[in-house]
Amino acid sequence: MDAAGVVLPGGGSGSASSRIERNNAVLKDPSWFGQFRNGSNPWMARYVYALIFLSANLLAWAARDYGGSALTEMERLKVCDGKSDCLGAEGVLRVSLGCFVFFILMFLLTVGTSKLQDPRDAWHSGWWSAKIAIWVGVTLLAFLLPSTIVRIYGEIAHFGAGVFLLIQLVSVISFITWINDRCLSEKNAERCHIHVMVVATGSYVISLVGIIMMFIWYTPDPSCLLNIFFITWSLVLLQLMTSVSLHPKDAETCSFFAQINAGFLAPGLMGLYVVFLCCEPAGESCNRKAEASQRTDWLTIISFVIGLLAIVIATFSTGIDSQCFQKSETQGGGGEKEEDEVPYGYGFFHFVFATGAMYFAMLLIGWNTHHAIKKWTIDVGWTSAWVRIVNEWLAVCVYSK
């Protein structure tokens, strides 16, 4: 093992053993600086990858909103077909393509890693100069590709973004179910009773307030029938989830619904997720905030920044949640990890970030690869609205089954 803690090929069992001991010592270090200075710490590696992903998001936004000055150079390279929005939708797709290629390469190089003494663990958790150079290189290369290839990638990105949403959906529902099961277990039921009631009540109140505000903002007159339907159906779904969760257990219902007799906490938290997905139906004529959105103000900028950070946080939290897709294995092993096992699935982590690269591209261009959207906006338009609505309905189906 070298000074940076990287296992060199042929290092032997002594190197592997010392690396395991060093990882255990690192994970017990309470200080961020003490962990960050260890270049091969898989826990701190997550944050470096998230920082790379955030940088790609910011670069894609800059290419979309402020890339006009680079248009002349891009036309000289003859990759924009002379279109004025080359660094709009197409610029976003090029940055996304570079980010996708980087993380899919990392996926291919780390998938199947299970032990800390595997040399691929050192590659995942270290060698940052080389990996940042690779990311920068593939991003620059993406700007040299013909527009045809970029457009093909844009069509594929629709599918990849859908895969990301499905993975995120399963992860969110698994997390909510896990919290609910922990709080309702015999060990914690009495201790968590008050906390559960407070959180559940707060979730329902916020959900109902959100639905009322959506009626005020997005249904100014009776002609906005689709928005009225979307919002009303969200309220119906909240009631449906609550009814299913409060239904008493019996053999017939157990065979159809999985979330029966689950109490108020799980449907309350799911209600927050459902209202979040339905938070902005489309159609400027049915949007009281549309007039204000024509100008860029601090509220618009803050909303955009929060949306951008939400993408990164969602990708990060989903990427480390590989266990929700391995429930049978975890249950079979009693949930205990061996000392030399990797702390999370490296391949799954990078795959989520790869699909997340496609997802942020779709949000920044409104799921439409043919034109760019207005500055400081994210996830707007009818296509985006339908993606959110379908995801909302699918979430309720997955939760209830």
Side-chain angles (χ1 to χ4, degrees):
M1 187 187 306
D2 65 4
V6 175
V7 178
L8 299 176
S13 60
S15 295
S17 176
S18 59
R19 175 167 173 76
I20 294 171
E21 294 175 1
R22 190 171 185 274
N23 269 280
N24 290 337
V26 167
L27 297 179
K28 293 177 181 178
D29 193 330
S31 69
W32 273 60
F33 176 76
Q35 293 196 18
F36 186 75
R37 68 185 177 185
N38 293 279
S40 56
N41 177 5
W43 288 111
M44 289 306 302
R46 303 172 304 164
Y47 298 100
V48 182
Y49 288 117
L51 185 59
I52 292 174
F53 189 77
L54 175 61
S55 300
N57 277 256
L58 294 174
L59 182 59
W61 158 71
R64 187 196 71 176
D65 288 1
Y66 299 99
S69 59
L71 182 58
T72 302
E73 177 65 15
M74 292 297 295
E75 287 180 338
R76 185 183 69 80
L77 293 172
K78 298 181 180 179
V79 294
C80 286
D81 294 342
K83 294 186 177 180
S84 59
D85 64 348
C86 172
L87 289 182
E90 196 167 307
V92 170
L93 290 175
R94 292 176 185 275
V95 175
S96 170
L97 177 57
C99 186
F100 169 78
V101 170
F102 171 76
F103 280 108
I104 208 67
L105 282 174
M106 291 301 303
F107 164 75
L108 294 173
L109 293 172
T110 60
V111 64
T113 306
S114 60
K115 303 296 182 181
L116 291 174
Q117 62 265 34
D118 192 321
R120 293 177 296 175
D121 171 69
W123 169 248
H124 168 81
S125 306
W127 298 88
W128 294 113
S129 298
K131 286 187 290 192
I132 291 175
I134 292 173
W135 170 60
V136 172
V138 293
T139 301
L140 292 176
L141 181 62
F143 277 88
L144 301 178
L145 295 175
S147 294
T148 303
I149 295 178
V150 177
R151 294 193 191 104
I152 292 174
Y153 168 76
E155 297 303 321
I156 297 174
H158 286 86
F159 172 77
V163 172
F164 174 83
L165 286 173
L166 287 176
I167 295 174
Q168 183 189 58
L169 184 152
V170 173
S171 178
V172 169
I173 294 176
S174 175
F175 177 68
I176 291 174
T177 304
W178 176 79
I179 289 180
N180 190 69
D181 291 343
R182 292 269 297 185
C183 292
L184 296 182
S185 65
E186 294 183 3
K187 180 180 178 181
N188 301 317
E190 184 175 351
R191 182 178 60 181
C192 297
H193 178 70
I194 300 298
H195 301 82
V196 168
M197 292 303 299
V198 171
V199 173
T201 302
S203 299
Y204 276 102
V205 170
I206 295 173
S207 299
L208 292 175
V209 170
I211 290 174
I212 293 172
M213 296 306 296
M214 283 192 289
F215 273 117
I216 295 174
W217 284 336
Y218 306 120
T219 60
D221 58 70
S223 64
C224 302
L225 294 179
L226 195 54
N227 283 0
I228 293 174
F229 169 72
F230 285 157
I231 300 170
T232 303
W233 190 244
S234 297
L235 182 60
V236 172
L237 292 177
L238 176 59
Q239 177 61 45
L240 175 64
M241 290 187 295
T242 303
S243 300
V244 169
S245 296
L246 296 181
H247 196 287
K249 283 190 176 182
D250 57 62
E252 183 177 351
T253 54
C254 276
S255 63
F256 189 78
F257 293 113
Q259 296 299 328
I260 59 173
N261 200 26
F264 284 101
L265 180 60
L269 295 176
M270 278 299 299
L272 289 177
Y273 186 54
V274 165
V275 172
F276 167 75
L277 291 174
C278 184
C279 65
E280 190 168 349
E284 289 192 359
S285 61
C286 294
N287 189 345
R288 291 184 183 274
K289 299 192 298 180
E291 182 178 349
S293 67
Q294 297 296 327
R295 53 185 172 80
T296 300
D297 54 16
W298 282 109
L299 182 59
T300 304
I301 296 175
I302 291 173
S303 299
F304 174 82
V305 172
I306 292 175
L308 203 64
L309 291 176
I311 299 172
V312 179
I313 294 172
T315 307
F316 176 84
S317 59
T318 304
I320 60 175
D321 193 24
S322 59
Q323 287 189 355
C324 73
F325 297 89
Q326 304 170 341
K327 285 186 177 180
S328 59
E329 295 180 17
T330 302
Q331 291 170 354
E336 296 290 336
K337 279 186 173 291
E338 296 181 10
E339 187 181 47
D340 62 343
E341 284 188 10
V342 296
Y344 53 92
Y346 296 164
F348 179 82
F349 177 85
H350 292 297
F351 179 77
V352 169
F353 271 78
T355 56
M358 294 179 167
Y359 179 64
F360 81 66
M362 293 297 102
L363 295 189
L364 286 173
I365 65 177
W367 296 79
N368 191 332
T369 59
H370 300 293
H371 65 82
I373 57 179
K374 295 181 294 185
K375 288 184 177 181
W376 296 104
T377 55
I378 188 169
D379 199 20
V380 297
W382 274 113
T383 307
S384 293
W386 274 109
V387 169
R388 292 196 303 270
I389 293 301
V390 171
N391 194 34
E392 171 193 344
W393 297 346
L394 185 60
V396 176
C397 291
V398 173
Y399 169 79
S400 300
K401 290 295 289 181

